[in-house]
Amino acid sequence: PRSARASGVEVIGDIELFCRERILRAPTAPFIAITGTNGKSTTTALTAHILKSAARDTQMGGNIGRAIMTLDPPEERRHYVVECSSYQIDLAPSINPTAGILLNLTPDHLDRHGTMAHYASIKELLVAGSETAIVGVDDSWCAQIADRLERAGRRLEMRMTGLPLTDGYFADGSNLMEAVHGRYSRVAFLEGIGSLRGQHNAQNALAAVAACLKVGLDLGEIQA
């Protein structure tokens, strides 16, 4: 790809092709893109499950299940939930999800990306291009990305962390909590859901809830 780019040849991947098709055919079609070192597939599957349970026309794919270009074509009321690897983001310069989720970052794929800083910068592209950025801030790399987004004036509507926040979403045991100006309310309860045990899965569930709220679901539909 580097030599092709150096020669002026555009190098893009399937996520980029989807983004361009969506802009042409249905630019307001809800599009949730999910990345992170760990938890991508769980969060993607859970987000799609919530949307389908709420009777939304939902297509899931990307780095999980079906390739994105085999999904049904974009329509205004069709929802897309897409898992994105760093390789795919690197080849998607105009990625522009309605809600972009960055769960966490730990060293991975450094044989391709060279350094952790470069790897993180590629992951950052997904949330930097999103209408709403949903960023887990429990590791230093993601916390720095969240800070940069806010300083740049990007809309950072929801943060996820295992510690209480003044504004955002956090997990308190099995309770998924929303904080608004320091006032807390429960948005979901994970007790008894065996597939979502542990703090890491609480964060995955928080991300799914936040994204579904962004694309128009209400808490009643999510909690049903």
Side-chain angles (χ1 to χ4, degrees):
R2 290 179 183 174
S3 60
R5 287 169 176 161
S7 300
V9 177
E10 185 179 35
V11 180
I12 60 174
D14 57 349
I15 301 294
E16 177 67 13
L17 291 172
F18 167 79
C19 291
R20 295 184 185 187
E21 183 181 23
R22 172 176 171 262
I23 288 298
L24 288 173
R25 297 177 62 128
T28 63
F31 171 27
I32 298 170
I34 299 159
T35 197
T37 306
N38 301 299
K40 295 187 297 295
S41 295
T42 298
T43 305
T44 301
L46 179 58
T47 303
H49 171 73
I50 293 171
L51 288 167
K52 289 177 181 178
S53 297
R56 299 302 197 272
D57 181 354
T58 303
Q59 298 286 303
M60 183 186 79
N63 198 47
I64 181 176
R66 295 169 59 188
I68 193 168
M69 295 307 293
T70 69
L71 301 179
D72 292 349
E75 294 182 2
E76 296 296 344
R77 297 178 66 84
R78 181 166 287 153
H79 294 61
Y80 292 87
V81 184
V82 180
E83 179 182 323
C84 297
S85 70
S86 58
Y87 299 172
Q88 291 171 313
I89 299 167
D90 197 24
L91 298 177
S94 62
I95 191 166
N96 59 343
T98 312
I101 296 172
L102 174 57
L103 292 165
N104 49 61
L105 285 173
T106 56
D108 198 20
H109 303 305
L110 299 189
D111 55 334
R112 175 186 175 102
H113 300 306
T115 66
M116 185 63 191
H118 186 225
Y119 172 60
S121 71
I122 292 170
K123 293 286 197 179
E124 184 174 353
L125 294 173
L126 184 146
V127 285
S130 64
E131 292 179 23
T132 295
I134 301 167
V135 183
V137 293
D138 293 323
D139 65 80
S140 62
W141 290 100
C142 284
Q144 291 172 42
I145 289 170
D147 288 342
R148 280 195 293 274
L149 289 171
E150 287 189 320
R151 288 198 302 269
R154 297 293 302 168
R155 187 177 182 189
L156 183 63
E157 186 169 282
M158 287 161 280
R159 292 187 178 203
M160 301 165 302
T161 178
L163 299 173
L165 299 172
T166 302
D167 290 282
Y169 286 75
F170 66 95
D172 178 15
S174 297
N175 298 300
L176 303 186
M177 307 295 293
E178 179 184 21
V180 179
H181 304 313
R183 302 184 68 176
Y184 303 146
S185 60
R186 188 171 75 179
V187 296
F189 185 54
L190 300 182
E191 186 69 35
I193 305 177
S195 60
L196 293 176
R197 291 195 183 109
Q199 185 69 26
H200 63 293
N201 276 320
Q203 186 191 60
N204 297 337
L206 281 170
V209 168
C212 288
L213 288 171
K214 171 58 185 173
V215 299
L217 269 65
D218 59 40
L219 285 178
E221 291 176 301
I222 292 170
Q223 294 169 349

